[in-house]
Amino acid sequence: MIFNIEYETMPREALESIQLRRLQATLSRVYAAVPFYRKQLDDAGVKPGDVRCLSDLSRLPFTTKQDLRDNYPFNMFAVPMDNVVRIHASSGTTGQPTVVGYTARDIDTWAELMARALSAGGATRGDIIHNAYGYGLFTGGLGVHYGAEKLGASVIPVSGGNTRRQVIIMKDFGPSILTATPSYSLHLAEAAEEMGVSFRDLNFRFGVFGAEPWSESMRREIEEKLHLKAVDIYGLSEVIGPGVSIECHEAQKGLHIFEDHFIPEIIDPETGQPLPWGETGELVITSITKEAFPVIRYRTRDITSLNPEPCICGRTMARMNKVSGRTDDMLIIRGVNVFPSQIESVLMEIKGVEPHYQLEVDRKDNLDILTVRVEISDAAFSDEVKELQRLSETIGNNIKETLGVSASVKLAEPKTIARSEGKAARVIDRRKL
Ligand code: DLL
């Protein structure tokens, strides 16, 4: 079902004229209200009124995560604190967290976008949504929650953690939609199995998974283990939270960006030059309706490409391809660029290997060493030593063949790699420690 037919199926020309009007209004507002943006524009010699068409956007300077940190906690807010009704923050694994604010209207906008997103992912008013995204400063839990209520579905605000209790709730309440990080959904599947509960007997139809990169092979694994259709949802706190873009369950091919609220661009991360439709680079987003925390040309560091082709679902909004990684997650191993998701894809194709892995990078004698620790299934674990050696060789060879890097493979016993309740920590890069 399409939640907002008028906007989600709008012809491109009409959409672009709305985008331009909203962009101009946003620029005037941030220029007046946020000293950072006023200085950025002044330094670039651009006045808000100079932006007369959408391609003028590329004349504006970028905003980076560092800029948000420099303005910690509230200096990027474009409205007085009186008008801010909610504050979220990103976890900030390195340095200061980034803090974002919402007006009452921003919360409404977000709820609308999440209602659209959940609908695209297969949810209807009649569904019960088991929402296992964390509630708190992280935007996942509350973002889904407000969207589910706006849609009119019934939401179970179970949050992350307490996994065994979640399985009992799934069994007793019969939720039909699961919302969680992909890694946590697999942890739920495992816990259910241990408790003798089969997803076959549960009521799930769809799962809406995001907040971390996950490969197509991981999707197949989840769909099989959880007996549901899995769609990908994308977002980031700096831009609004979840609900920037979503796959439709009909195509499961690229995530529709809600372009009436966000203008996407793809740039070459090295040069900052905008790239044409279809080319892969860093996603940059400008928000055009947010009041408390607008962002102009925000560099997400996420790597993807844009596809404007019409979709079988009827939505006209451009799609971004599945995020393959982040510019700052890219490992350079002996000169070869490696994304964790590429290794994930290789691992998931091999029988006997479980979707739980960790990558460790170290440097010895000036050489990078990649170690892949991956769990094996119970069945594989009971194999002869010779078989295990063969499995480990296959993994190493396939990684070498596909990615061109050598990896030392360590098979881990079932259930020994730490499970996450939110975003999985896949990489330990000791070179940086
Ligand atoms: O992760 C918002 C969210 C919550 C999205 C629930 C989807 C579902 P942050 O904590 O600010 O916000 O982290 C944002 O997570 O820049 C990406 O690197 C990554 N990310 C989010 N969704 C996806 C996805 C939330 N579907 C950062 N695929 C982003 C790949 C994703 N990476």
Side-chain angles (χ1 to χ4, degrees), residues 189-384:
E190 224 170 41
E193 199 187 318
E194 275 168 19
M195 292 166 69
V197 174
S198 165
F199 265 81
R200 270 175 213 283
D201 303 326
L202 299 181
N203 210 16
F204 286 115
R205 299 188 300 123
F206 294 100
V208 178
F209 304 114
E212 62 189 7
W214 52 306
S215 58
E216 279 302 329
S217 336
M218 181 73 86
R219 187 206 307 269
R220 282 196 295 279
E221 182 93 27
I222 291 175
E223 291 193 328
E224 214 168 277
K225 286 204 160 124
L226 278 80
H227 272 268
L228 45 70
K229 207 166 182 189
V231 305
D232 191 3
I233 183 166
Y234 170 85
L236 59 170
S237 21
E238 298 91 316
V239 170
I240 202 161
V244 172
S245 64
I246 177 90
E247 270 177 351
C248 55
H249 69 86
E250 292 91 340
Q252 288 178 298
K253 205 169 179 355
L255 295 83
H256 292 280
I257 302 176
F258 296 123
E259 290 179 283
D260 51 333
H261 295 270
F262 311 110
I263 303 181
E265 297 171 85
I266 299 290
I267 61 160
D268 177 333
E270 302 290 325
T271 63
Q273 282 310 307
L275 296 174
W277 293 105
E279 285 197 26
T280 300
E282 179 181 343
L283 177 68
V284 169
I285 295 181
T286 300
S287 74
I288 49 174
T289 52
K290 279 208 317 173
E291 293 182 334
F293 194 88
V295 283
I296 307 297
R297 298 197 89 201
Y298 184 67
R299 290 187 65 158
T300 65
R301 308 192 200 182
D302 293 318
I303 296 164
T304 182
S305 57
L306 298 177
N307 168 14
E309 279 165 31
C311 180
I312 52 166
C313 71
R315 288 179 185 78
T316 48
M317 307 255 159
R319 282 174 279 174
M320 57 187 255
N321 282 314
K322 240 173 161 357
V323 170
S324 56
R326 292 173 57 81
T327 52
D328 47 0
D329 263 4
M330 187 177 77
L331 296 164
I332 303 183
I333 296 169
R334 302 190 188 185
V336 181
N337 298 350
V338 175
F339 287 101
S341 61
Q342 293 175 299
I343 294 186
E344 177 179 301
S345 296
V346 174
L347 293 175
M348 296 300 94
E349 297 300 323
I350 300 170
K351 198 163 168 275
V353 165
E354 290 292 300
H356 305 285
Y357 65 95
Q358 214 161 38
L359 312 178
E360 258 179 55
V361 197
D362 211 341
R363 184 166 283 153
K364 285 208 183 87
D365 303 328
N366 292 317
L367 272 187
D368 299 324
I369 317 269
L370 168 67
T371 308
V372 177
R373 280 184 67 225
V374 61
E375 262 183 41
I376 53 174
S377 64
D378 285 321
F381 188 58
S382 55
D383 278 345
E384 310 255 331

